[in-house]
Amino acid sequence: MVRLEEEKQQMQADLQAMMTLEMQQKEQELLQRLEQQSHALQEEKQQVEERLQQQLAQQLEEKDKDLEEQLLKHKAALDQIISQKEREHSDLQAKLLQSKLEKEQQEQSVKKVREEVVENVTNVMESELQCNICTELFVQATTLHCSHTFCYACILEWTKTRKMECPTCRTKVTSKTRSLVLDSYIDKMVESYSEELKQHRMSLLQDRKEKVATLERQSPRQGKDSPISVGSASSDEEPLSVGSNSSGSGSQWTQSSSSSHNSPPLHSRGGNSASMDNDFVQGDPMAYYGGYGRCHICGRRGHWAPGCPYRLRF
């Protein structure tokens, strides 16, 4: 019995040892399989990751290519737009320069035409709007009934100191009419003159004003050739009056005056006894003479007042 027990225990120990050995073997095999599977999984994982990385890199590369192509297209479009804008800017600059040149040429042409017009008008004024007595532009232009026009002061002095006749055509003076249109026109044109000419004009107006005041204070000459006057809203002169003298030899022209004292004439002419040679006297060659009329200072032909050789004597 004891032996059997021992054999049983021996057999159980052997069985247990065998089972333990088999268990260890199976465990080792399982561990090896697990390790192999783990290596296989890791390798597969690596392969999958590599494939994913390759695919991602490929996709990124494709996207980069697409983006690069799109960028190149946009750049080309922008370059084309910039080129077009630059061409348009160049065209606009050329047009602006052309327009500026045309404007300058037009301004020069207008300026030239304006200067020519002013020069022509000035020449016309100097030739047509000059008083034949003083050779200045009309000052208080006064037109006689024969249509000849003179300065008011000049014709007033002429009719007070000389015969009652037109200095140009020698027609008897019967009326004097102020020409306000000519005065206004001359004043407007003088505004475009230089400052020196304007000062000369202002000085001339002042001198004529004083001269008219002096002449109007003088008593008129009595007789056949006594002077006449022109009535106006701005003066105290009486209008022209006509009456018959007691002898019946002709009409007598009279003028009322606020002054009671007489002033002798500046000079007197020689009358009908003077010869034609004495009537024509050559004046200052530097002074302008139009070839007609008489000097209102000495009454002779051949010169006007600015060139009168006797102007310092009176």
Side-chain angles (χ1 to χ4, degrees):
M1 290 295 291
V2 175
R3 187 176 179 182
L4 287 171
E5 286 291 334
E6 289 178 358
E7 289 179 359
K8 181 180 178 182
Q9 290 179 356
Q10 185 65 36
M11 287 177 66
Q12 287 179 352
D14 293 337
L15 182 62
Q16 187 175 1
M18 289 176 62
M19 288 177 67
T20 303
L21 183 61
E22 287 180 1
M23 289 292 293
Q24 289 177 355
Q25 290 177 355
K26 286 183 179 180
E27 186 178 356
Q28 289 178 358
E29 289 177 1
L30 289 173
L31 288 173
Q32 289 176 358
R33 287 180 183 177
L34 287 172
E35 188 176 355
Q36 290 176 358
Q37 289 178 358
S38 176
H39 285 299
L41 288 172
Q42 287 180 357
E43 290 178 357
E44 187 176 359
K45 180 182 177 183
Q46 290 178 356
Q47 292 176 0
V48 170
E49 288 179 352
E50 290 177 356
R51 284 198 301 269
L52 288 174
Q53 287 179 356
Q54 291 177 358
Q55 291 177 359
L56 182 61
Q58 186 176 1
Q59 290 177 357
L60 290 174
E61 186 177 356
E62 291 176 356
K63 288 183 178 180
D64 289 340
K65 289 182 180 179
D66 293 338
L67 289 173
E68 187 176 359
E69 290 177 357
Q70 291 178 1
L71 288 174
L72 290 174
K73 289 180 180 179
H74 286 301
K75 184 180 179 181
L78 288 174
D79 290 339
Q80 186 176 1
I81 292 173
I82 290 172
S83 300
Q84 184 177 359
K85 294 295 182 182
E86 288 178 350
R87 287 194 299 270
E88 292 177 356
H89 182 67
S90 300
D91 294 339
L92 287 174
Q93 283 184 339
K95 289 180 180 179
L96 182 61
L97 181 60
Q98 183 68 22
S99 176
K100 187 176 180 180
L101 293 175
E102 291 177 356
K103 184 179 179 181
E104 290 179 354
Q105 292 176 356
Q106 187 177 3
E107 289 178 352
Q108 290 178 358
S109 300
V110 171
K111 184 178 179 181
K112 185 177 180 181
V113 171
R114 187 178 299 171
E115 290 176 353
E116 291 178 355
V117 170
V118 172
E119 183 178 359
N120 292 335
V121 172
T122 303
N123 293 334
V124 169
M125 287 180 63
E126 291 178 353
S127 61
E128 300 296 333
L129 301 181
Q130 277 186 351
C131 175
N132 291 337
I133 297 176
C134 65
T135 67
E136 294 282 356
L137 294 177
F138 291 129
V139 178
Q140 293 182 329
T142 302
T143 303
L144 305 182
H145 74 286
C146 59
S147 300
H148 291 123
T149 304
F150 307 92
C151 298
Y152 177 68
C154 295
I155 195 63
L156 182 62
E157 182 180 14
W158 180 274
T159 55
K160 280 182 175 290
T161 60
R162 303 183 59 82
K163 288 185 177 182
M164 189 65 61
E165 60 183 16
C166 173
T168 301
C169 65
R170 297 304 175 183
T171 302
K172 190 172 182 179
V173 176
T174 59
S175 66
K176 300 176 185 177
T177 305
R178 283 290 309 280
S179 180
L180 300 179
V181 175
L182 284 179
D183 291 340
S184 177
Y185 182 74
I186 292 173
D187 291 340
K188 291 294 183 183
M189 291 306 301
V190 169
E191 291 178 0
S192 62
Y193 279 14
S194 64
E195 291 298 327
E196 183 178 358
L197 293 178
K198 288 181 181 178
Q199 291 295 330
H200 174 71
R201 180 70 178 178
M202 294 297 294
S203 176
L204 182 63
L205 291 175
Q206 185 64 28
D207 292 343
R208 293 301 173 86
K209 185 177 179 180
E210 296 175 356
K211 185 175 182 180
V212 168
T214 302
L215 291 172
E216 287 178 346
R217 286 195 299 268
Q218 295 177 0
S219 298
R221 296 184 307 173
Q222 300 296 327
K224 182 178 179 181
D225 293 333
S226 59
I228 62 176
S229 64
V230 180
S232 64
S234 61
S235 66
D236 296 333
E237 295 176 311
E238 294 295 331
L240 175 66
S241 61
V242 181
S244 299
N245 56 14
S246 59
S247 63
S249 60
S251 299
Q252 180 179 4
W253 303 83
T254 62
Q255 177 189 25
S256 62
S257 175
S258 59
S259 175
S260 61
H261 58 278
N262 294 334
S263 176
L266 295 177
H267 62 280
S268 60
R269 293 180 57 187
N272 296 330
S273 61
S275 64
M276 292 298 295
D277 293 337
N278 293 333
D279 193 44
F280 186 90
V281 176
Q282 183 69 33
D284 187 356
M286 299 301 294
Y288 176 72
Y289 174 57
Y292 58 89
R294 294 176 180 269
C295 172
H296 77 279
I297 296 178
C298 66
R300 292 179 174 83
R301 300 181 183 274
H303 61 271
W304 282 341
C308 180
Y310 305 103
R311 64 182 181 274
L312 298 179
R313 300 182 182 181
F314 301 104

